Amino acid sequence: MSFGILTDLTKCVGCQACAWACKEINGLPADDGAKKLAANTWTFVEQRRGVSIRRQCMHCLEPTCVSACPVAALEKTETGPVIYQEDRCIGCRYCIMACPFEIPKYEWDSVQPRVQKCIMCYDKRIARGEQPACTEVCPAQATIFGNREKLIAIARQRIADNPGGYVDHIYGVQEAGGTSVLYLSDVPFSELGFKTASKNGAYPKLTWEILRKIPNVVGVGGVLMFGIWWIINRRITLEKVRNGELSEDEAFGASRHEEEAI
């Protein structure tokens, strides 16, 4: 069963209970001053045009971040969440560049940086048959958890039952090939900062078209970088000889070692 989250922006009161619950269950800093999604803030409620808008990872059905990761550090689970396994991550940050929603964030200030984002409480809640902490604490039931198809049906029924009360569109049904996080709104999504220009089809095929060309780029780039390294290292060695820091025999030995490396 594929789960998802439906957030009805007409019901959100902007209390930030979801954001605080997310921080608590994931051991994130309670007050890091973040005013948007960040490495230490995986969900956030911002205000635009008088609307409280909950932001979080969209958990795409066919995630571009997963297809872009060369070491499978990101994984789309059968139950819906896109999770991150930091022990596999090599810090290439391809996922950050690939995401059409600009969600994953990097711990730039950390000695051992990781890619950080919402994982929908996969290990601590969903894998145990429970709902995410964020949906559980919402006092207005503005954000609810359940089977994705049932959530879509609920959203369609709300639109049908309230003519003019909603924009006639469920954000996430088609965007980027479909997402596990869905939205309803009474204000056009384009006016609320949503990526409305996103391709409706899945992105991984586009990612592959780019990434399959990388080996050639890496090969040429690698030779170029090694050549630059050799020249710089050679100049440093000669300078040490001139300054008496290195004998000519030691310099010769270093040169032979470099040639063997080539």
Side-chain angles (χ1 to χ4, degrees):
M1 180 184 294
S2 181
F3 294 106
I5 290 175
L6 171 63
T7 295
D8 188 334
L9 300 182
T10 69
K11 296 179 179 294
C12 183
V13 296
C15 66
Q16 296 281 4
C18 55
W20 293 116
C22 175
K23 283 181 172 292
E24 182 177 0
I25 196 170
N26 291 297
L28 301 171
D31 185 13
D32 56 5
K35 300 300 181 183
K36 58 183 178 180
L37 293 181
N40 289 325
T41 300
W42 300 356
T43 190
F44 188 80
V45 180
E46 67 168 315
Q47 302 293 323
R48 288 202 187 192
R49 290 200 52 185
V51 179
S52 297
I53 310 159
R54 183 189 172 193
R55 307 290 189 188
Q56 66 169 107
C57 174
M58 297 297 290
H59 297 279
C60 302
L61 301 185
E62 295 185 54
T64 315
C65 60
V66 172
S67 69
C69 182
V71 292
L74 287 148
E75 176 187 349
K76 176 68 175 181
T77 64
E78 293 182 356
T79 50
V82 176
I83 61 173
Y84 171 69
Q85 302 183 62
E86 63 181 79
D87 59 321
R88 298 180 183 178
C89 184
I90 58 174
C92 68
R93 303 186 294 281
Y94 286 168
C95 56
I96 294 175
M97 294 182 283
C99 178
F101 300 106
E102 302 177 3
I103 297 297
K105 306 301 178 186
Y106 198 61
E107 293 178 320
W108 294 102
D109 297 331
S110 173
V111 177
Q112 295 181 309
R114 299 166 294 175
V115 171
Q116 297 286 266
K117 72 172 197 68
C118 161
I119 56 172
M120 212 187 285
C121 295
Y122 177 74
D123 293 330
K124 298 175 181 176
R125 290 298 189 93
I126 293 180
R128 301 178 183 180
E130 303 173 8
Q131 66 174 308
C134 58
T135 58
E136 184 177 65
V137 301
C138 182
Q141 289 292 288
T143 184
I144 59 176
F145 174 78
N147 176 282
R148 181 177 183 270
E149 293 305 314
K150 290 184 178 180
L151 293 177
I152 292 174
I154 290 172
R156 286 175 175 158
Q157 191 62 53
R158 289 184 185 181
I159 292 173
D161 292 344
N162 296 276
Y166 290 98
V167 172
D168 189 12
H169 179 68
I170 306 169
Y171 191 89
V173 171
Q174 295 182 329
E175 282 74 14
T179 63
S180 296
V181 173
L182 310 162
Y183 287 89
L184 282 176
S185 174
D186 58 350
V187 176
F189 291 104
S190 61
E191 298 177 19
L192 299 179
F194 284 80
K195 303 290 184 180
T196 54
S198 298
K199 181 180 180 294
N200 284 340
Y203 276 71
K205 289 183 179 178
L206 295 178
T207 306
W208 170 244
E209 286 301 312
I210 296 172
L211 292 181
R212 69 187 181 87
K213 300 175 184 177
I214 285 180
N216 292 331
V217 175
V218 171
V220 175
V223 172
L224 177 62
M225 292 301 294
F226 188 86
I228 294 172
W229 170 84
W230 188 88
I231 292 170
I232 293 173
N233 196 59
R234 185 62 175 163
R235 288 178 177 174
I236 292 173
T237 300
L238 291 174
E239 187 65 26
K240 286 183 178 179
V241 172
R242 293 192 192 99
N243 295 334
E245 299 175 20
L246 201 66
S247 69
E248 291 186 3
D249 288 341
E250 290 173 327
F252 178 74
S255 178
R256 286 292 300 274
H257 179 72
E258 292 166 9
E259 291 173 0
E260 289 173 1
I262 296 174

